[in-house]
Amino acid sequence: MVKANLTVISNFIFLGFTRYPKVEVIIFVLCLLMYLITLLGNIILMSITILDSHLHKPVYFFLSNLSFLDIWYTSSALTPMLTNFVSGKNTISFSGCATQMYFSLAMGSTECVLLSTMAYDRYVAICNPLRYPIIMNKRACVQIAAGSWMTGCLTALVETVSVLQLSVCGSSIINHFTCEILAVLKLVCVDTSRVQLIMLVISVLLLPMPMLLICVSYAFILSNILRISSVDGGSKAFSTCAAHLTVVVLFYGTALSMYLKPSAVDSQEIDKFMALVYAGLTPMLNPIIYSLRNKEVKVAVKKLLIRNPLCAFSIPHSKS
């Protein structure tokens, strides 16, 4: 059996969803819609938080970070698949594969940390409102966001470098629609225990631990709101928290089932569809669940829509 280092392979071939020719077009259309909605929703949210001074608050600072992250995350995962489907080419260069793997891991890892910091921000705002401006000051927010990005980027770099140093046994066919790290590891024919240990440690740090922090934060939030609010207020708060937790469960649940499942379980076909959930569906839902249902964001959108027509009428006409 001929062994070659991953860096020696010049091109990889994606299988994608070619095993499902009857639904491949449907998957393409759904992914295209998810991508366009993700771009539109997150660009609108980022624009509003920048243009409206009333939204210059910690919660919207983190949300704009999440929007920026989701645009990159979805683009790194779905754009190559959409491009390959249109062009009919299912190949990618080694450098392209390495770049795609790194950015997907970096954006996904950063989102894991960022979602937990956003839950903590809401916990402080609701359960400790008097100290909220002190705890979540501008400097603290920037440091927390920078820490989230650094954690995601560094862990992704460690995982990507660890995998690309391994040897494969001739095959360059990736049974996935992207250079997903677990799919690339399937090509390796040498001992991967060290890489799997690195991935396990990082996965435990970035998946169950942040998810536990989010659940605990929302438990305290719900307990606090139900204790001091009216029945209608409690119902609305429960609805909002339930919506947030639905996105959290979708994102962390699919990622947990992929990265912390037993190594003996081979579910590559299922993994493809799970990847669509956390790389396509969740980034599309984030701006809707977290922001577009928010009253302050709705008011900001209305003000921007009203302001433009008024600007047009307020332009003075030149005298002849």
Side-chain angles (χ1 to χ4, degrees):
M1 185 177 293
V2 179
K3 293 183 181 180
N5 192 281
L6 275 170
T7 54
V8 176
I9 297 177
S10 58
N11 289 288
F12 291 96
I13 301 170
F14 293 130
L15 282 184
F17 295 97
T18 53
R19 294 185 179 181
Y20 311 97
K22 294 183 179 179
V23 296
E24 195 173 12
V25 176
I26 297 174
I27 293 172
F28 168 78
V29 172
L30 290 175
C31 288
L32 180 61
L33 287 174
M34 284 193 297
Y35 182 60
L36 294 176
I37 294 171
T38 299
L39 285 181
L40 180 63
N42 285 295
I43 289 173
I44 289 174
L45 178 56
M46 287 175 60
S47 302
I48 290 170
T49 54
I50 293 170
L51 295 173
D52 196 316
S53 59
H54 294 93
L55 299 183
H56 293 175
K57 301 176 182 179
V59 59
Y60 299 108
F61 171 74
F62 290 122
L63 283 171
S64 60
N65 269 268
L66 182 64
S67 294
F68 181 75
L69 185 152
D70 280 338
I71 290 172
W72 279 95
Y73 190 21
T74 308
S75 297
S76 65
L78 296 187
T79 304
M81 182 192 73
L82 297 173
T83 304
N84 289 340
F85 185 88
V86 173
S87 64
K89 297 179 181 179
N90 290 326
T91 60
I92 188 171
S93 65
F94 168 80
S95 59
C97 185
T99 303
Q100 188 183 78
M101 183 190 298
Y102 172 74
F103 274 103
S104 293
L105 285 171
M107 298 302 105
S109 300
T110 303
E111 183 154 347
C112 288
V113 182
L114 193 59
L115 287 174
S116 64
T117 60
M118 289 168 61
Y120 174 72
D121 171 75
R122 291 298 81 206
Y123 161 74
V124 177
I126 295 172
C127 299
N128 202 352
L130 296 179
R131 296 195 61 199
Y132 179 68
I134 301 172
I135 297 173
M136 301 302 293
N137 57 66
K138 185 177 181 179
R139 182 179 179 182
C141 291
V142 172
Q143 289 176 341
I144 290 171
S148 301
W149 282 93
M150 286 181 62
T151 300
C153 292
L154 288 176
T155 54
L157 183 63
V158 171
E159 290 181 294
T160 304
V161 171
S162 299
V163 170
L164 296 180
Q165 290 178 342
L166 300 175
S167 300
V168 298
C169 298
S171 177
S172 60
I173 300 175
I174 301 175
N175 188 13
H176 211 282
F177 60 86
T178 183
C179 282
E180 205 276 325
I181 190 168
L182 294 177
V184 175
L185 271 178
K186 296 289 183 181
L187 306 179
V188 175
C189 58
V190 295
D191 182 29
T192 60
S193 56
R194 186 178 67 87
V195 175
Q196 288 181 346
L197 179 61
I198 292 172
M199 290 178 61
L200 176 63
V201 172
I202 292 175
S203 297
V204 169
L205 291 174
L206 295 180
L207 291 171
M209 290 182 66
M211 187 175 181
L212 179 62
L213 177 60
I214 292 172
C215 293
V216 171
S217 298
Y218 276 110
F220 278 111
I221 289 170
L222 278 173
S223 175
N224 188 73
I225 292 177
L226 294 175
R227 189 172 62 251
I228 63 175
S229 299
S230 62
V231 175
D232 291 337
S235 176
K236 188 177 292 185
F238 180 80
S239 174
T240 302
C241 289
H244 291 185
L245 287 173
T246 300
V247 176
V248 167
V249 169
L250 273 174
F251 179 77
Y252 286 98
T254 50
L256 279 167
S257 63
M258 282 186 61
Y259 291 102
L260 290 179
K261 68 176 182 289
S263 57
V265 178
D266 186 11
S267 56
Q268 280 189 276
E269 297 304 315
I270 298 175
D271 286 352
K272 294 179 192 177
F273 291 97
M274 286 188 173
L276 288 178
V277 173
Y278 68 74
L281 182 62
T282 306
M284 181 188 73
L285 293 176
N286 278 339
I288 299 171
I289 297 297
Y290 282 103
S291 301
L292 300 183
R293 295 174 73 248
N294 184 292
K295 285 185 178 180
E296 289 183 311
V297 174
K298 287 181 179 179
V299 171
V301 171
K302 288 179 181 178
K303 285 187 347 188
L304 286 175
L305 291 176
I306 293 171
R307 186 185 302 168
N308 290 332
L310 287 178
C311 289
F313 288 112
S314 65
I315 298 174
H317 296 282
S318 60
K319 294 182 180 180
S320 55

